[in-house]
Amino acid sequence: MRLDTKRIHSGRVIDLDVDTVRFPDGSTGQLEMIRHPGAAAVIPFASDPLGPDPTILLIQQYRYATNGSLIEIPAGRLNPGEDPRVCAERELLEEVGVKAGRIERLTTIWTTPGFTDERIHLFWATDLTADRPAREPDEFIEVTPKPLSEVLKLIRSGVISDAKTALAVLFVAGFILEH
Amino acid sequence: MRLDTKRIHSGRVIDLDVDTVRFPDGSTGQLEMIRHPGAAAVIPFASDPLGPDPTILLIQQYRYATNGSLIEIPAGRLNPGEDPRVCAERELLEEVGVKAGRIERLTTIWTTPGFTDERIHLFWATDLTADRPAREPDEFIEVTPKPLSEVLKLIRSGVISDAKTALAVLFVAGFILEH
């Protein structure tokens, strides 16, 4: 339970609070908490997900945190009050340049609950039609289509190391196997 | 590329820097970056992972960020310079009260690379023997053994929503299916 909160930093992407907290045993302590508005991420299927070895439109993206680039699915922060599905549609257009005829929710995850309240809503998108990407100025993105079988191998080998991407693909691969 | 860095906050779990960065196109900008020492997380198998429906020792843990508790695998921060495997062993003992005869690496993930350099090294542990848990004062943890089939259902239904936990279990379930 929160007893007190102190805003240390108001940022562009995140805010940092130091909260005074009462723990379940009645003791109190201080916790750093990164406040994040949440995000949506979406697997774009360029071919029928239930067909043989469907193609996924991954992106290769510069990530300062990693000192290089990561292979990911399109994702982005929620605007205030935004429906995660609308955010997923926006990121599909901005990062991959497609519109989806159909977007289905997979699940919602806590990215790293030890120090942030960030949740990512995961989706998969099908029935894609090409449109024009509208990138934000600090996004450096290349679209890289890959068959699901190769994506699974890249997850196994650790080449795909972005948590939301690996999790979303393993999650949807389970669904596909059942059908 | 980092041009400049300013430490905004030095915390107990994380540090916050605001870095001035040169992007791949030569432009510059500022990025908030949560510095984290990295972590290890481990799936404890209480029975043979290749046997029928093996049992996993999950933990239910109070998480202030979520306003409640989460079902997770044991995990913890790396000490400075610590081998992730040693950290996994320590967390098995601290959080679950077991020692592992065998610990195998699964993969390493970036938890949320948009704003932190945190990586989690994922393992699975077998040949467990009971020992005495040695909890840290602000950890509120209950061990909850569950069969893999139920854990997979809880991931599908969204009851298990911790990213590292869902990812590690889906990852290892793929290995088990292949054997």
Side-chain angles (χ1 to χ4, degrees), chain A residues 1 6 16 30 34 46 51 60 68 88 101 107 113 119 132 171 178:
Chain A
M1 192 181 65
K6 191 177 159 199
L16 170 61
Q30 289 204 320
I34 305 295
Q60 180 126 14
T107 191
R119 293 198 300 168
R132 202 173 44 177
F171 196 103
E178 284 165 21

Side-chain angles (χ1 to χ4, degrees), chain B residues 73-122:
Chain B
I73 54 174
R77 246 172 309 145
L78 302 181
N79 291 327
E82 188 176 36
D83 180 347
R85 189 178 298 263
V86 173
C87 177
E89 285 169 355
R90 182 163 41 77
E91 295 299 332
L92 275 177
L93 191 59
E94 283 187 9
E95 300 193 333
V96 185
V98 295
K99 285 189 177 175
R102 199 174 156 196
I103 296 190
E104 299 283 337
R105 185 175 170 273
L106 291 168
T107 191
T108 299
I109 53 166
W110 298 93
T111 55
T112 181
F115 65 83
T116 179
D117 60 2
E118 184 193 26
R119 293 198 300 167
I120 302 184
H121 305 273
L122 301 176

Side-chain angles (χ1 to χ4, degrees), chain A residues 1-2 11-14 19 23 32 34 62-65 109-110 112-114 118 140 156 161-163 171 174, chain B residues 1-2 11-14 19 23 32 34 62-65 109-110 112-114 118 140 156 161-163 171 174:
Chain A
M1 192 181 65
R2 184 191 309 187
R12 198 172 63 95
V13 176
I14 48 104
D19 288 6
F23 293 108
E32 297 137 6
I34 305 295
Y62 171 71
R63 287 294 196 182
Y64 175 68
I109 54 165
W110 297 94
T112 183
E118 184 193 27
F140 302 94
R156 294 259 160 243
S161 55
D162 172 54
F171 196 103
Chain B
M1 194 181 64
R2 185 190 309 187
R12 198 172 62 95
V13 176
I14 48 104
D19 288 6
F23 293 108
E32 296 137 6
I34 305 295
Y62 171 71
R63 287 295 196 181
Y64 175 68
I109 53 166
W110 298 93
T112 181
E118 184 193 26
F140 302 95
R156 295 257 160 247
S161 55
D162 173 54
F171 196 102

Side-chain angles (χ1 to χ4, degrees), chain B residues 32-63:
Chain B
E32 296 137 6
M33 197 48 52
I34 305 295
R35 308 285 177 194
H36 188 284
V42 51
I43 309 179
F45 277 95
S47 64
D48 180 5
L50 302 183
D53 210 5
T55 298
I56 295 177
L57 301 181
L58 294 171
I59 59 175
Q60 180 128 11
Q61 177 166 209
Y62 171 71
R63 287 295 196 181

Side-chain angles (χ1 to χ4, degrees), chain A residues 124-177:
Chain A
W124 59 329
T126 54
D127 304 334
L128 307 183
T129 50
D131 209 302
R132 202 173 44 177
R135 303 248 161 91
E136 296 193 42
D138 64 352
E139 290 186 324
F140 302 94
I141 291 175
E142 192 182 340
V143 179
T144 59
K146 290 190 194 300
L148 175 60
S149 60
E150 189 187 339
V151 179
L152 289 170
K153 274 183 202 153
L154 294 173
I155 293 169
R156 294 259 160 243
S157 65
V159 172
I160 291 179
S161 55
D162 172 54
K164 70 177 174 300
T165 301
L167 175 48
V169 170
L170 291 172
F171 196 103
V172 84
F175 272 137
I176 290 174
L177 277 176

Side-chain angles (χ1 to χ4, degrees), chain A:
Chain A
M1 192 181 65
R2 184 191 309 187
L3 299 176
D4 190 28
T5 183
K6 191 177 159 199
R7 172 78 25 121
I8 303 293
H9 180 76
S10 282
R12 198 172 63 95
V13 176
I14 48 104
D15 299 322
L16 170 61
D17 292 342
V18 174
D19 288 6
T20 306
V21 173
R22 188 182 304 283
F23 293 108
D25 69 347
S27 67
T28 59
Q30 289 204 320
L31 283 181
E32 297 137 6
M33 197 47 53
I34 305 295
R35 308 285 176 192
H36 188 284
V42 50
I43 309 178
F45 277 95
S47 64
D48 179 5
L50 302 183
D53 211 4
T55 298
I56 294 176
L57 302 180
L58 293 170
I59 59 176
Q60 180 126 14
Q61 178 166 209
Y62 171 71
R63 287 294 196 182
Y64 175 68
T66 75
N67 243 323
S69 70
L70 288 185
I71 300 173
E72 303 184 31
I73 55 174
R77 244 173 311 145
L78 303 180
N79 290 326
E82 188 176 36
D83 180 346
R85 188 179 298 264
V86 172
C87 177
E89 285 169 355
R90 180 162 43 77
E91 295 299 331
L92 275 177
L93 191 60
E94 282 185 11
E95 301 193 334
V96 183
V98 295
K99 284 190 177 176
R102 199 173 154 195
I103 296 189
E104 299 284 339
R105 185 174 170 275
L106 291 168
T107 191
T108 298
I109 54 165
W110 297 94
T111 55
T112 183
F115 65 84
T116 179
D117 61 2
E118 184 193 27
R119 293 198 300 168
I120 303 184
H121 305 273
L122 300 176
F123 296 88
W124 59 329
T126 54
D127 304 334
L128 307 183
T129 50
D131 209 302
R132 202 173 44 177
R135 303 248 161 91
E136 296 193 42
D138 64 352
E139 290 186 324
F140 302 94
I141 291 175
E142 192 182 340
V143 179
T144 59
K146 290 190 194 300
L148 175 60
S149 60
E150 189 187 339
V151 179
L152 289 170
K153 274 183 202 153
L154 294 173
I155 293 169
R156 294 259 160 243
S157 65
V159 172
I160 291 179
S161 55
D162 172 54
K164 70 177 174 300
T165 301
L167 175 48
V169 170
L170 291 172
F171 196 103
V172 84
F175 272 137
I176 290 174
L177 277 176
E178 284 165 21
H179 285 84

